Amino acid sequence: MSKITTELLLERAVPRSTRLRKIETLNLSKLQLKTGDLDPRLFSRLRHLQKLDLSDNLLDKFPNSLTLPDLRVLNCNNNKLEDVTALKQFPLLEELTYENNVYLTLNDDYKVMFLLQNLRLLNGKDITKLANHVRRVNSRKLTSKVTAHWEKFFRDQLPEKYTAEQVKSIKKKFLKSVQTNVVYGPSSLSEFTRWRVKMIAEEFLAYSLGLELNTDPEPEEKTDENEEESTESPMEAAEDVGQVVFIYDPLVVVTPSKRKRNHSKPGSGNKRSKSQANTEEEAEDVSAEPLHFLQCHSKGNSREDFRTQLWSCVFEPLLDCGARKDPIVSSSRTVATCGGESVCLIDCETGTVLKKYKVATEEFFSVAWTTLTMVISDSRKKSHNILAAAGRRGIVKLIHVAADFCYGEIKAHKKPIATVCFSPTRETHLFTASYDKRIALWDIGIPDCDYNFKASQLLVLEALSIPLRIALVPTCPDQYLLAGCEDGCFAWSIKLDKEQKSRPFEAVFQFPDEDGGMTTSHRVDGLAFLNDDVIVSKSSKPGCIYLWSWSRSFDAKGKGCQRTVSAVILAELEWSTTDLSYLTLSTCPAKEYVFCGDEKGSVWMYNLSNYTTAWSSAKGKRSEKRIPPTQILKWPELRANREELTEVLINNVVSDPTFTYLVVLTSVNITAIWKKS
């Protein structure tokens, strides 16, 4: 028997009523209601209902025929809603709230703004301006793109006299093609864009070919979106950009004067340093230019904050859509950055801060992504991206990005955490490297539908000094971990089949010192793999970057005991002579690039594709000369309050997997985003 009866509705009316048709306000919260409890026949008698509260229930969707023609205010907070398209049956709706519905994302916000033409307030915020943009500008742009796609690729495929079968076939091809190829707006809204593109394409075909219009399309698979003690919603970030984001614009605090571009055209004489002179081995310059300069990590959102240091950034992994990758976005353009009291999610193409998470007492040093397969309603499974963030307090924050929710924390260390990283093969395994001279391996578990989770410590790796950077060996990520430390580079066995839970290092690596000898004692503040075997490491003392072989350095001799191993150096990269520490490096293995910033705001880029084949040979010899950068991206002249920003240190620079975007983190609270043309 349904939980909802005529008697219950009359009793829950505000004020209580004697007839269903007289009820204007109804409170059905906290009744453990499921979708099947909403009986359309009973609800159809609520002809004059204007306000309905369904919060704190178990609804996963709305029936399509509740027939509430006068509904103006709807509260669905704290349910399990997975789709919002059925809300279009309430065309007079003006106020809607559905906070704490874990499976609803920014894409759903945009869907309801389009579907509900009278909607003014969404989750307590005035969305009038944004909704008008979605309904008009967005629709106009997408319609133009859909029409152009038909004209270019499909119009000539249809004969002058066509059969119903031919129309059906071309409709199927067109809908698939247009959803795959029409792109507009940030990748975080790709699901909304596909949804609208399909709708527009069907309307276009109905008008052009006289086809029957499908007015009730099936809800599509979602991709995903973006929380913590204090959060700012995507809409706040989009509408109140001035508080958070500073871009290329002469009217805001940070503005470039004399915008320097690094375009290199074939045959043009690019000005380069002597060290960058063209050689036969060297690849062509990369054509890149700065897109955005963002000041989104300011303490207290202050425009005067040019002191907050930015430390870490990682691109969000793509989620599988069933058995395939998202066809719209070949590589994620959403990046997580951290520094000061906040973690930000940024769309690199638009410069939009999608989300900002703040902890007033924290200073974040590192962020890392993993994708967890979580159980949702009806025992179904769904993949969600989880962000781990850690820093000075020694606590790891776990953020369910799609739900805008920091669901837990792990008190991992009593001293600050320098860096974190997830295992590429075990989605719940997280490494944390701390100033307590330990690296811990945690199983963070998988949260249930109520966000209960259990974290456990699996290993503790003892270091002789503070671990600054960590890297798992690509060919055996469950067996060995490397760490660049304050006093050397070390390797540990991380096999979980051993009983020993606390382990000393297995090897310490020797490198050339400034006097021509070999030393194990030097600060290694940059460490990454260029490919399965080649390691790139930076020592702040000699001012150069080494490339060396993991397999040839760490051979099988003396296995199981601590030992000193000479790193088999393959080459050195020419880099700044500065002795400043913590200017770290990164790699783009797919494109065989190394990136490293310097103390003058420049980004040094090395294309090593012409060298890696020779290095892969067992007899591959060390390159005699230091390899110069392929290109150096110079820091543009930026002005803050009419004064030029000087003494810019590049703390970190990271590319997305396809090397489309470069995200540059600085010591002056500026995130710079470059795009390769």
Side-chain angles (χ1 to χ4, degrees):
M1 184 177 172
S2 173
K3 291 181 180 179
I4 300 182
T5 62
T6 300
E7 291 72 28
L8 178 68
L9 294 179
L10 295 173
E11 182 183 322
R12 285 279 189 145
V14 184
R16 287 192 181 190
S17 179
T18 56
R19 301 185 68 179
L20 294 181
R21 64 185 303 169
K22 289 187 176 182
I23 298 175
E24 294 186 358
T25 301
L26 184 60
N27 183 352
L28 296 178
S29 65
K30 300 178 181 178
L31 292 175
Q32 298 290 296
L33 297 178
K34 295 184 178 179
T35 298
D37 294 317
L38 304 182
D39 182 358
R41 289 174 299 176
L42 192 55
F43 272 77
S44 66
R45 297 166 63 187
L46 299 167
R47 304 295 296 175
H48 299 289
L49 185 67
Q50 294 192 26
K51 295 182 180 180
L52 176 60
D53 186 349
L54 289 167
S55 61
D56 300 293
N57 282 301
L58 304 172
L59 303 175
D60 59 359
K61 61 182 179 181
F62 278 92
N64 278 317
S65 52
L66 284 185
T67 320
L68 301 173
D70 208 23
L71 191 66
R72 310 297 173 102
V73 179
L74 177 61
N75 182 352
C76 307
N77 286 348
N78 298 307
N79 276 277
K80 297 184 177 182
L81 294 176
E82 297 179 24
D83 183 57
V84 296
T85 52
L87 294 175
K88 68 181 180 182
Q89 66 186 294
F90 310 129
L92 299 184
L93 208 59
E94 297 175 356
E95 299 179 23
L96 171 65
T97 54
Y98 49 58
E99 293 179 310
N100 297 324
N101 280 268
V102 64
Y103 308 118
L104 298 186
T105 72
L106 182 60
N107 290 278
D108 297 291
D109 294 347
Y110 275 64
K111 285 181 182 180
V112 294
M113 281 188 272
F114 173 78
L115 291 171
L116 300 172
Q117 299 289 310
N118 290 305
L119 195 65
R120 295 182 298 101
L121 294 177
L122 178 59
N123 295 327
K125 296 183 175 60
D126 187 339
I127 49 89
T128 308
K129 239 169 117 179
L130 186 57
N132 284 335
H133 178 87
V134 171
R135 295 165 194 151
R136 292 180 174 82
V137 179
N138 184 285
S139 294
R140 189 168 62 245
K141 296 269 189 184
L142 289 179
T143 300
S144 173
K145 286 173 175 280
V146 167
T147 306
H149 192 73
W150 170 266
E151 293 292 324
K152 185 173 182 181
F153 298 108
F154 286 89
R155 187 182 65 174
D156 295 337
Q157 292 185 30
L158 203 62
E160 213 170 300
K161 294 183 179 180
Y162 45 80
T163 65
E165 278 302 311
Q166 288 174 318
V167 170
K168 185 178 179 182
S169 173
I170 202 166
K171 175 183 178 181
K172 184 178 179 181
K173 290 178 184 176
F174 178 57
L175 290 179
K176 182 178 180 181
S177 176
V178 80
Q179 288 180 84
T180 301
N181 294 293
V182 171
V183 182
Y184 177 67
S187 60
S188 55
L189 288 172
S190 61
E191 190 227 331
F192 166 75
T193 300
R194 281 200 301 278
W195 177 79
R196 278 293 290 133
V197 162
K198 183 181 180 184
M199 190 184 299
I200 291 167
E202 288 185 326
E203 291 169 354
F204 171 77
L205 291 178
Y207 176 77
S208 302
L209 306 179
L211 300 183
E212 187 176 337
L213 183 62
N214 178 8
T215 57
D216 192 22
E218 288 293 315
E220 296 190 14
E221 281 282 322
K222 292 184 193 297
T223 51
D224 276 276
E225 251 14 59
N226 322 352
E227 168 246 78
E228 224 283 285
E229 263 91 337
S230 169
T231 70
E232 293 172 15
S233 73
M235 272 181 280
E236 285 177 314
E239 292 182 353
D240 196 13
V241 165
Q243 288 189 5
V244 182
V245 187
F246 295 84
I247 56 179
Y248 252 7
D249 187 327
L251 301 178
V252 296
V253 176
V254 180
T255 59
S257 59
K258 299 181 183 177
R259 179 175 180 178
K260 294 185 178 179
R261 302 169 68 129
N262 281 275
H263 277 284
S264 6
K265 299 177 182 177
S268 66
N270 252 24
K271 293 183 180 179
R272 308 174 72 193
S273 66
K274 291 181 181 179
S275 67
Q276 291 174 273
N278 283 313
T279 68
E280 290 182 4
E281 300 175 302
E282 196 172 278
E284 291 181 7
D285 281 0
V286 173
S287 178
E289 65 174 327
L291 276 187
H292 310 288
F293 292 88
L294 314 178
Q295 193 188 16
C296 50
H297 288 271
S298 300
K299 191 170 184 179
N301 285 346
S302 169
R303 295 182 181 221
E304 307 303 317
D305 180 4
F306 294 99
R307 294 185 178 181
T308 292
Q309 299 251 22
L310 310 183
W311 296 111
S312 175
C313 61
V314 190
F315 277 83
E316 182 175 10
L318 289 175
L319 286 170
D320 283 325
C321 297
R324 59 180 172 76
K325 291 289 187 184
D326 185 340
I328 297 297
V329 190
S330 59
S331 174
S332 169
R333 67 191 205 191
T334 303
V335 70
T337 60
C338 75
E341 64 185 12
S342 60
V343 174
C344 291
L345 261 68
I346 301 168
D347 182 295
C348 290
E349 181 65 27
T350 63
T352 303
V353 179
L354 302 171
K355 200 67 186 174
K356 184 174 180 178
Y357 313 107
K358 293 195 294 188
V359 182
T361 56
E362 182 63 280
E363 182 180 3
F364 287 107
F365 294 149
S366 187
V367 285
W369 289 100
T370 191
T371 304
L372 298 184
T373 303
M374 299 166 62
V375 177
I376 58 176
S377 59
D378 302 327
S379 299
R380 287 181 295 136
K381 293 184 177 180
K382 188 178 176 92
S383 294
H384 285 289
N385 284 334
I386 302 297
L387 186 65
R392 189 169 296 282
R393 295 169 67 199
I395 296 172
V396 178
K397 296 286 186 181
L398 298 173
I399 302 167
H400 188 311
V401 174
D404 294 340
F405 183 51
C406 178
Y407 69 85
E409 63 181 35
I410 301 171
K411 294 178 180 177
H413 300 270
K414 292 183 179 179
K415 289 192 175 182
I417 295 172
T419 189
V420 298
C421 81
F422 278 99
S423 164
T425 57
R426 305 194 185 195
E427 59 184 8
T428 62
H429 284 195
L430 174 69
F431 291 89
T432 57
S434 170
Y435 281 62
D436 62 11
K437 301 179 184 177
R438 291 181 175 89
I439 300 168
L441 170 59
W442 302 86
D443 188 328
I444 67 169
I446 296 180
D448 62 21
C449 55
D450 295 317
Y451 292 104
N452 298 310
F453 74 103
K454 185 178 181 181
S456 57
Q457 190 182 83
L458 304 178
L459 278 180
V460 174
L461 311 177
E462 303 287 349
L464 298 181
S465 60
I466 297 171
L468 302 172
R469 308 283 176 245
I470 54 180
L472 294 161
V473 179
T475 54
C476 48
D478 296 327
Q479 296 184 44
Y480 291 106
L481 176 140
L482 271 69
C485 301
E486 284 282 7
D487 199 23
C489 186
F490 300 83
W492 286 264
S493 168
I494 55 172
K495 293 179 185 176
L496 291 175
D497 55 0
K498 296 183 178 181
E499 292 184 5
Q500 191 181 10
K501 297 299 182 187
S502 181
R503 299 179 188 174
F505 65 88
E506 259 193 36
V508 56
F509 296 93
Q510 283 186 322
F511 292 85
D513 63 18
E514 292 166 323
D515 300 322
M518 298 291 283
T519 181
T520 59
S521 180
H522 62 128
R523 177 186 290 124
V524 179
D525 57 5
L527 183 72
F529 275 85
L530 178 63
N531 55 32
D532 284 353
D533 185 59
V534 177
I535 302 166
V536 189
S537 65
K538 183 175 80 67
S539 169
S540 58
K541 287 184 180 176
C544 80
I545 297 168
Y546 291 113
L547 292 104
W548 48 291
S549 167
W550 160 256
S551 60
R552 290 157 68 184
S553 303
F554 192 81
D555 57 31
K557 295 175 183 177
K559 193 173 181 181
C561 57
Q562 287 188 14
R563 65 200 192 281
T564 300
V565 176
S566 292
V568 177
I569 307 292
L570 303 172
E572 293 180 34
L573 301 182
E574 183 180 293
W575 185 67
S576 169
T577 55
T578 181
D579 58 359
L580 284 172
S581 301
Y582 315 129
L583 309 179
T584 195
L585 57 79
S586 71
T587 59
C588 180
K591 301 297 183 181
E592 300 184 303
Y593 261 83
V594 174
F595 308 99
C596 193
D598 67 13
E599 78 286 6
K600 296 178 180 177
S602 298
V603 175
W604 300 53
M605 306 196 304
Y606 309 83
N607 182 349
L608 301 175
S609 56
N610 288 336
Y611 298 90
T612 50
T613 303
W615 293 339
S616 64
S617 166
K619 296 180 181 179
K621 294 182 180 179
R622 175 176 175 175
S623 302
E624 294 301 321
K625 296 181 180 179
R626 286 186 176 183
I627 299 173
T630 307
Q631 190 175 8
I632 297 177
L633 300 180
K634 296 293 185 182
W635 184 256
E637 294 176 15
L638 298 185
R639 295 189 178 278
N641 299 332
R642 298 184 180 179
E643 293 184 10
E644 187 176 342
L645 282 174
T646 57
E647 298 181 14
V648 177
L649 308 182
I650 304 298
N651 291 332
N652 203 346
V653 53
V654 173
S655 80
D656 67 295
T658 62
F659 187 18
T660 302
Y661 302 98
L662 271 181
V663 179
V664 180
L665 303 183
T666 70
S667 61
V668 292
N669 190 27
I670 302 285
T671 301
I673 300 174
W674 295 68
K675 185 176 183 180
K676 189 175 74 169
S677 301

